Amino acid sequence: MDHSVAIVGVGETRHGRFADRSSLSMALEASRQAIEHAGLYPREIDAVIIAPAFADAAFNTDMAFGRLVEELGMRDSAQIIMQAGAGGSTGDRLLRISRGLIASGQARHTLCVHADKFTELTKNQILEFFAVAGFDTEFEAPYGVTYNTIASLTAQRWLHETGATERALADMASSLKEWASLDPNAASFQRPISTEDALAAPILQWPIRTSMAPPPADGGSAFVVTSTADARSMRQSAAYLIGEASRVRTYSFTQHDDYTRMGWADVADKAFAEAGISRNDVGIAQFYVAYPIFHLILLEEFGFTPRGSAEDFVASGATRPGGRLPVMTNGDAIGHGHTGSGVGVATLVDTARQLMGEAGARQVPDLEFVVEASAGGSYMDTNVAMFGREPR
Amino acid sequence: MTETELRERRNEWSAPYWEGVDRQELRYQHCEECGRSVFPARLYCPRCASDRLVWRPSNGRGEIYSFSTLELGAVAAFIDDVPYTIVVVDLDEGFRMTSRVVTDDPISLRCGLRVQVDFPSNGRPLPVFIPLLQS
C-alpha cells in the first residue's frame, strides 16, 4: 500500500456520565495522552483534525475555531487545524485525511481527536437528534421514526430472510457487553449482561430491546498518525494501515437496496485484496456499527461465516473474549457508551491498543491483523480498513 | 406533529408530491435518463445525476419490505400515537417509501404483505398504508 501510515499513539478518557467534566478537559486529556504515547512533544504535531461534537454546541464551535492550538501548546507551531466529520465514519475519515496530508508532505504527524458530552442532552433531545439523523426530514421524520427504527427494520427483514431468531441479537449484545465489562474506559465496565437477560429486557421496537440500544455517554478519544517509515523508527509496534476501501451508499437509510447486505461484501473484498490477507488471518473484527443486528450482518457479508449462520457463529462464543474471532473489543456503542462521532475514533484507539499489545484484560493473544469497519450517518456508507502489526 | 410544522419542512422541489397528497394521489418521480423510479423527491437523480425527473402517479399498491412497531422511546411529538408501526413499502412502480401501516390486526403484519395507500382525515396530510383490501 503506497504512502501508508500508522497509528503510533492513542489516548482515551473514561466514558460514562460525568456531570463535573467539560468536553474541553476530556479533549485535552485524550490528546495529551495520545501525543505522549507516541513519544512526541505537542509542538511536533503539524495538523490537528477534530471530529464534530453534536451535543456540546459551544465546545463544537470552539473546536472549529482552533481553541486546541492554544490549549495544547501548539501556538505558532501547528500548520493546520480543522474540523472534519462523517458521523460514525469520522474516525476512518480522520485517518484518511491524515494519510493524505502525510503523503503529500503537508504534515509529518497528525493528531485526531474527539470529545463530547451526550448526557447533557435530555432524553427527548437525544431522540429528536437521532430521529432526523439520516432520515429525510420532510418525507420520513413526520411518521415518527427514531434511530432505533433503523435497527428494527433491518432486524425484522434479516430475521425474515435468514431464518435466524431474535436470540441472535441478544447473544450479540451480550458478547459486546462482555468485552465492555473488561474495559475500564467503557461506560458499562464490570457490568456484563447474559443472553437471557438481554432477551428479557423491555422492547423498544421489536426485536430491538433496551439491552441492544446504545446509551448516551460523555467521553474523549484521540490518536496520532505518522508515516510508515517514521512509525518504524518511533516504536516497536504500531497499527499499520495495510488496506482500505469505502463506498457511499445512501443518505436515507430506508433507501438501501438490501437492508440485510447493505453493500458490505464488495468493500470487504476490496480491502482484503489490497491488504493481501485472508479471512483466516484476521484476529479481531472491529465493527463499529452500534446495534448488534449489524455485527451479525457484517459477520456474514465479510465472509467470516456463511449467510444464515451468524446466529450459530455467535452462539458458539466465537465473538467473545477467548473466542476465535473477537468482535469489537471495546464493546461498541452499546457497551462503551455512545458519544456521537467519537465511537469511530475510540474504535481506532482500541484497534491500535490491541496491535501494540496494550489492551490489558481484553488483549487478544498472538494478534497479527485487525479488520475495522464503520458506517456513518444512518449507515450511509461502508468503510473498511485493515491493520497489521507490521507494514506491508 | 401539527400540519403547520409539517408544511414548514417542505423543500422547494417537492410541491408536486404534496399537491398529489391533497388530491389523494400518491406521486413519485421517474428519471427519463436512466428509467429508474426516484423517491423521496429529489432535484437530480440519485443514481445517474440527471435533471430529467418527471412526476408520475403511483397506483398506491405495493408490498411490505419491512416494518417496525414502536412500543418505547418515541419522540415527544409522537408519544400520543404509541404504539404505532413504521413501514417500508416497495411500491409496484419500483420505488421504496417510508410510512406507517394502520391495521386492527397487527399480528398479521409480515414482510411481503400486500398493502395500499390511504389518506386519513386526521389533520395530518401524510399518506399511510393499510393491508390491501381483497376485491
Side-chain angles (χ1 to χ4, degrees):
Chain A
M1 194 175 177
D2 293 338
H3 305 300
S4 197
V5 292
I7 298 174
V8 290
V10 297
E12 186 182 53
T13 70
R14 284 194 58 201
H15 283 48
R17 178 183 290 272
F18 304 111
D20 56 345
R21 287 212 70 174
S22 67
S23 299
L24 180 61
S25 84
M26 295 190 293
L28 296 180
E29 180 185 326
S31 297
R32 289 285 291 209
Q33 256 187 46
I35 296 165
E36 193 175 316
H37 191 223
L40 297 171
Y41 297 104
R43 298 178 70 81
E44 291 177 276
I45 299 290
D46 304 304
V48 181
I49 316 170
I50 308 154
F54 291 124
D56 191 337
F59 167 73
N60 193 48
T61 306
D62 261 2
M63 290 302 98
F65 288 4
R67 179 157 181 167
L68 280 189
V69 164
E70 280 186 32
E71 297 282 358
L72 288 171
M74 299 173 176
R75 197 182 148 156
D76 300 322
S77 65
Q79 297 178 47
I80 293 164
I81 189 161
M82 67 166 141
Q83 199 174 46
S89 310
T90 299
D92 272 324
R93 297 287 84 89
L94 300 185
L95 184 63
R96 254 174 208 244
I97 294 168
S98 294
R99 185 180 170 200
L101 291 173
I102 291 164
S104 61
Q106 295 180 82
R108 187 166 180 186
H109 309 297
T110 71
L111 170 71
C112 303
V113 55
H114 171 270
D116 207 348
K117 288 199 73 174
F118 257 63
T119 70
E120 297 249 302
L121 301 178
T122 65
K123 193 176 168 195
N124 193 55
Q125 281 175 321
I126 290 170
L127 286 168
E128 284 183 344
F129 173 83
F130 283 111
V132 292
F135 278 109
D136 191 291
T137 315
E138 178 180 6
F139 285 88
E140 300 189 301
Y143 288 105
V145 294
T146 73
Y147 211 81
N148 294 328
T149 307
I150 293 170
S152 173
L153 291 170
T154 305
Q156 182 92 249
R157 185 73 198 185
W158 186 76
L159 294 174
H160 170 77
E161 288 195 21
T162 66
T165 72
E166 58 175 318
R167 188 179 177 84
L169 306 177
D171 227 357
M172 192 69 236
S174 172
S175 171
L176 292 168
K177 289 193 180 179
E178 187 177 341
W179 281 111
S181 75
L182 300 173
D183 182 352
N185 284 339
S188 57
F189 177 49
Q190 295 178 334
R191 286 192 291 129
I193 184 171
S194 68
T195 300
E196 283 66 31
D197 286 350
L199 202 48
I203 291 176
L204 293 161
Q205 294 176 240
W206 194 90
I208 306 304
R209 296 167 186 271
T210 52
S211 55
M212 304 163 189
D218 309 329
S221 49
F223 57 85
V224 171
V225 184
T226 195
S227 69
T228 293
D230 274 340
R232 295 194 90 148
S233 64
M234 283 167 71
R235 56 183 312 140
Q236 275 202 313
S237 58
Y240 290 91
L241 181 66
I242 58 169
E244 62 182 358
S246 68
R247 187 69 63 88
V248 186
R249 304 294 176 180
T250 74
Y251 159 69
S252 294
F253 171 80
T254 55
Q255 294 301 318
H256 268 290
D257 293 327
D258 183 346
Y259 294 8
T260 70
R261 291 186 170 89
M262 301 166 71
W264 282 102
D266 291 352
V267 287
D269 286 347
K270 198 174 160 202
F272 271 108
E274 187 172 52
I277 65 170
S278 77
R279 271 65 174 170
N280 290 332
D281 297 325
V282 173
I284 305 176
Q286 300 285 37
F287 293 154
Y288 167 42
V289 285
Y291 290 83
I293 174 58
F294 296 105
H295 303 87
L296 296 165
I297 289 174
L298 265 65
L299 282 169
E300 293 181 349
E301 293 308 298
F302 274 66
F304 289 118
T305 191
R307 171 104 166 164
S309 70
E311 179 165 15
D312 292 342
F313 188 79
V314 176
S316 76
T319 61
R320 294 177 183 262
R324 66 191 153 98
L325 183 67
V327 171
M328 207 48 177
T329 56
N330 70 1
D332 208 319
I334 72 164
H336 207 67
H338 203 310
T339 57
S341 307
V343 190
V345 178
T347 303
L348 292 175
V349 165
D350 205 50
T351 297
R353 266 199 213 108
Q354 289 281 4
L355 286 164
M356 292 170 179
E358 298 176 9
R362 296 169 299 109
Q363 183 62 48
V364 173
D366 307 321
L367 183 64
E368 292 294 330
F369 300 105
V370 174
V371 55
E372 185 264 354
S374 67
S378 60
Y379 305 86
M380 66 174 178
D381 53 7
T382 45
N383 308 293
V384 181
M386 318 290 293
F387 294 90
R389 285 173 55 85
E390 301 288 336
R392 300 222 133 193
Chain B
M1 184 160 284
T2 66
E3 184 167 346
T4 308
E5 284 168 335
L6 289 171
R7 290 186 189 281
E8 282 170 357
R9 293 181 174 207
R10 293 182 183 177
N11 273 323
E12 299 96 301
W13 51 86
S14 62
Y17 176 79
W18 297 110
E19 285 164 19
V21 170
D22 287 344
R23 294 174 199 174
Q24 305 212 339
E25 177 181 275
L26 185 64
R27 293 177 181 174
Y28 67 102
Q29 288 168 297
H30 169 79
C31 177
E32 293 190 315
E33 191 75 34
C34 71
R36 292 189 180 93
S37 301
V38 173
F39 196 89
R42 296 287 178 246
L43 202 49
Y44 307 108
C45 176
R47 293 178 197 261
C48 83
S50 168
D51 62 355
R52 293 173 56 208
L53 297 179
V54 295
W55 285 93
R56 286 186 174 174
S58 162
N59 69 11
R61 290 193 289 273
E63 68 176 47
I64 293 180
Y65 179 73
S66 193
F67 62 100
S68 166
T69 301
L70 188 146
E71 297 184 27
L72 262 182
V75 173
F78 301 103
I79 287 281
D80 292 343
D81 295 357
V82 177
Y84 57 88
T85 303
I86 301 292
V87 68
V88 175
V89 179
D90 283 340
L91 279 296
D92 289 350
E93 294 84 3
F95 66 97
R96 180 167 284 177
M97 168 176 181
T98 304
S99 182
R100 279 195 199 176
V101 61
V102 179
T103 173
D104 296 333
D105 185 18
I107 295 292
S108 69
L109 293 177
R110 56 180 170 75
C111 296
L113 186 76
R114 294 286 293 169
V115 290
Q116 66 184 42
V117 75
D118 188 42
F119 298 89
S121 50
N122 61 0
R124 283 184 196 161
L126 286 173
V128 300
F129 285 82
I130 56 174
L132 185 66
L133 302 173
Q134 304 296 330
S135 56

